[in-house]
Amino acid sequence: MKPFPLRFLAACTLAVASSCALAQQDGSSADELVQAGLASLKQIDEGRAGEIWDGASAFIKTRFPRADFVANTQRARQTVGVVARRDWAGITRIRYPDDSTGIPAGLYANVDFSTRLENNKTVFEKVSFRLEPQGWRLTGYVPRENQ
């Protein structure tokens, strides 16, 4: 059996990379959402809510002044405690066809994490996003004790 020519392998690699990029651009990648959720949670853990607001969905910026968003996010995060481990528990995608609900039309996603704390307690954290031309943009963070 002859080995594949290097040119063929390079073309296949490029095709796979291109299809992955397309999948990510249309919001169909669950991995992309989990990674966006983990990155946002890391920023929240590090007290960088201002940076999250800077990159948040435009409609969030019009509804919540930066200072309010930062204060609310920090207050919510303080209820969680010291994180030992996070695992994603579920992803829900929701399409709003129009703004009749008061939410701008578009594709949204909630990523739920089951978070184990250092004291062995489990809490749940929901990170919400809206798909925009630049990718998934944060729209909310809600920690809670019950799933």
Side-chain angles (χ1 to χ4, degrees):
M1 181 172 185
K2 289 171 64 175
F4 289 113
L6 201 49
R7 186 176 22 177
F8 174 78
L9 291 175
C12 288
T13 302
L14 183 58
V16 169
S18 296
S19 66
C20 289
L22 288 175
Q24 291 176 353
Q25 288 175 352
D26 70 4
S28 64
S29 171
D31 289 337
E32 179 184 15
L33 279 163
V34 169
Q35 292 308 311
L38 288 170
S40 296
L41 289 170
K42 182 176 190 260
Q43 286 180 298
I44 291 168
D45 290 346
E46 294 172 351
R48 295 170 35 217
E51 291 176 32
I52 292 174
W53 187 90
D54 293 341
S57 181
F59 88 92
I60 293 298
K61 291 179 178 181
T62 61
R63 292 185 183 184
F64 301 100
R66 190 178 199 268
D68 291 348
F69 179 88
V70 169
N72 291 337
T73 302
Q74 288 173 338
R75 191 175 312 110
R77 176 59 183 87
Q78 287 173 350
T79 67
V80 173
V82 180
V83 173
R85 178 184 173 95
R86 281 191 178 104
D87 295 300
W88 72 276
I91 298 173
T92 305
R93 292 174 7 133
I94 305 159
R95 182 169 301 279
Y96 289 97
D98 56 44
D99 62 357
S100 63
T101 60
I103 298 171
L107 180 61
Y108 293 79
N110 294 321
V111 184
D112 273 309
F113 290 88
S114 174
T115 303
R116 174 67 87 194
L117 304 178
E118 282 190 350
N119 65 5
N120 284 329
K121 180 179 175 185
T122 298
V123 296
F124 301 92
E125 295 174 288
K126 182 187 299 184
V127 187
S128 301
F129 298 94
R130 179 174 190 257
L131 185 60
E132 298 185 354
Q134 310 85 357
W136 290 104
R137 297 294 180 202
L138 185 108
T139 59
Y141 167 69
V142 179
R144 59 209 188 284
E145 290 190 16
N146 298 311
Q147 180 67 313

